[in-house]
């Protein structure tokens, strides 16, 4: 195996604590407790090691990263390491003084998540009464500080028809960028797949809305569009390829090739408490196992796209087939492609009930 390319991005999952209960949350269903979290000084060391590896962008996430009272100290460590820091937040735990402290510590960018453009639906999806109004106030505070703002709208069957209103909301809040991110189905989202999967008609309509908005709003709003694999014929390059561009570190310090990799059995993901990022990136089995193309089965091994999509998503392959090394069922050439049709059929017959994300238990509500 040749030396891997330098990673470009680091996702620092500072905590799994969060006041929201989103049923599509990408956190694992077994959540880390506060007592397991890395302290600020250890995060500082991780950031310095990441910068030395070549990482340029740092994404501070969770859970809700603002659940940590030492968040300004963590941001200051990122700035000292020379990393561009992006805070991925629900906004509900941040007010003007806390935001000012983060800006003073060197925060570069804010990415605010919203569950819908309509308040009642947004609060139902997020599981937090009054949450949407608090997000709107926080967005005004971001604009007042002068920090760049991205609005992140996670879309699915129960809010996708309001995509035009979400675009209008991004404009009203002064966002420079809108990420329209269809739910990806692992973790809590896999538990809720039947309630979340959009129909093909919804997807086609949303794609046309995005196409038209990109033309009409060119120069005013950048729109990123992440589509679901369940309507695909070819897989996308998940995280730019396993162990090629991206590192995630869990709240407890486990180092992952993607934020959902803990869903895969048969791995021992190394910890920053015991190893350096450089050791883990270059030599650990967890990063080597699906890196490159040698691991691929047919038809991937002989496919001309193998160094474009890098085999697709390993977490999705496992979730659907029980085998993380299988051809991603999103590919029409996969012997398991029919599983996507089956999932879509089951979702079409399902209701709207969610299993909400909980720290200690699963709670169902309509």
């Amino acid at each position: 195996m040749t030396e891997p390319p330098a990673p470009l991005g680091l996702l620092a999952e500072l905590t799994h604590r969060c006041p929201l209960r989103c049923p599509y949350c990408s956190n694992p269903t077994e959540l880390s407790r506060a007592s397991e979290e890395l302290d600020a000084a250890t995060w500082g060391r991780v950031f310095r090691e990441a910068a030395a590896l070549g990482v340029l962008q740092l994404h501070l996430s969770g859970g809700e990263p603002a659940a940590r009272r030492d968040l300004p100290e963590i941001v200051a460590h990122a700035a000292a390491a020379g990393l561009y820091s992006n805070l991925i937040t629900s906004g509900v735990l941040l007010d003007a003084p806390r935001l000012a402290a983060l800006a003073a510590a060197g925060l570069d960018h804010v990415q605010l998540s919203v569950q819908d453009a309509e308040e009642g639906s947004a609060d139902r999806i997020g599981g937090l009464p009054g949450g949407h109004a608090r997000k709107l106030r926080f967005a005004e505070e971001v604009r007042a500080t002068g920090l760049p703002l991205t609005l992140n709208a996670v879309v699915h069957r129960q809010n996708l028809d309001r995509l035009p209103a979400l675009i209008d909301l991004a404009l009203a809040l002064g966002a420079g960028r809108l990420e329209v991110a269809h739910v990806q189905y692992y973790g809590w989202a896999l538990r809720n797949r039947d309630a979340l999967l959009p129909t093909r008609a919804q997807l086609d309509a949303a794609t046309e809305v995005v196409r038209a908005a990109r033309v009409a709003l060119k120069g005013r709003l950048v729109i990123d569009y992440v589509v679901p694999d369940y309507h695909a014929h070819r897989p996308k390059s998940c995280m730019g390829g396993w162990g090629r561009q991206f590192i995630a570190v869990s709240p407890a310090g486990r180092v992952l090739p993607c934020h959902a990799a803990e869903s895969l059995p048969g791995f021992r993901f190394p910890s920053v408490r015991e190893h350096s990022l450089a050791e883990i990136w270059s030599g650990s089995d967890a990063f080597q196992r699906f890196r490159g193309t040698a691991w691929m089965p047919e038809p991937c091994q002989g496919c001309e796209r193998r160094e474009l999509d890098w085999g697709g998503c390993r977490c999705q392959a496992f979730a659907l087939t029980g085998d993380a090394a299988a051809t991603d069922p999103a590919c029409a050439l996969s012997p398991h492609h029919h599983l996507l049709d089956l999932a879509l059929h089951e979702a079409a017959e399902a209701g709207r009930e969610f299993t909400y994300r909980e720290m200690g238990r699963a709670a169902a509500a309509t």
Side-chain angles (χ1 to χ4, degrees), residues 287-326:
F287 278 78
Q288 296 279 23
R289 194 176 302 186
F290 296 125
R291 180 180 271 156
T293 61
W295 64 271
M296 292 180 179
E298 293 292 354
C300 301
Q301 188 61 243
C303 180
E304 62 183 11
R305 291 180 52 85
R306 64 185 179 278
E307 293 189 7
L308 296 175
D309 59 39
W310 300 103
C313 179
R314 298 301 88 218
C315 300
Q316 182 164 267
F318 173 73
L320 289 169
T321 73
D323 180 5

Side-chain angles (χ1 to χ4, degrees), residues 101-240:
L102 294 174
L107 184 66
D108 293 302
H109 186 274
V110 173
Q111 182 171 321
L112 173 65
S113 65
V114 293
Q115 284 65 48
D116 205 332
E118 180 183 277
E119 182 175 9
S121 175
D123 288 349
R124 183 184 75 87
I125 294 168
L128 180 66
H132 186 69
R134 289 156 69 177
K135 289 170 181 284
L136 300 187
R137 289 194 296 271
F138 173 70
E140 292 176 358
E141 290 159 359
V142 173
R143 184 163 51 184
T145 66
L147 284 168
L149 174 66
T150 289
L151 198 68
N152 180 44
V154 181
V155 293
H156 45 81
R157 191 201 321 167
Q158 299 196 32
N159 66 6
L160 191 53
D161 295 335
R162 286 183 290 281
L163 181 54
L166 284 164
I167 294 172
D168 289 342
L169 179 63
L171 291 169
L173 295 179
R177 176 173 166 264
L178 170 65
E179 182 175 310
V180 180
H182 282 267
V183 169
Q184 305 299 306
Y185 295 96
Y186 34 68
W188 293 90
L190 186 61
R191 285 192 177 188
N192 288 286
R193 186 178 66 185
D194 286 351
L196 294 168
L197 264 176
T199 66
R200 183 55 190 252
Q202 281 185 305
L203 176 61
D204 289 345
T207 302
E208 176 55 28
V209 166
V210 169
R211 186 205 62 78
R214 281 173 166 169
V215 173
L217 301 173
K218 186 176 182 180
R220 296 178 59 196
L221 181 68
V222 175
I223 303 178
D224 291 338
Y225 187 50
V226 181
V227 298
D229 287 335
Y230 279 64
H231 293 283
H233 293 284
R234 292 290 183 270
K236 60 179 176 287
S237 174
C238 186
M239 313 309 298

Side-chain angles (χ1 to χ4, degrees), residues 16 43 54 69 75 89 98 139 144 149-150 167 169 177 212 215 225 238 242 267 269 304 319 333 351 356:
H16 281 159
W43 278 116
R69 295 185 178 182
V75 169
T89 179
R98 289 200 73 192
L149 174 66
T150 289
I167 294 172
L169 179 63
R177 176 173 166 264
V215 173
Y225 187 50
C238 186
W242 180 280
F267 280 85
F269 292 107
E304 62 183 11
L333 301 177
Y356 285 103

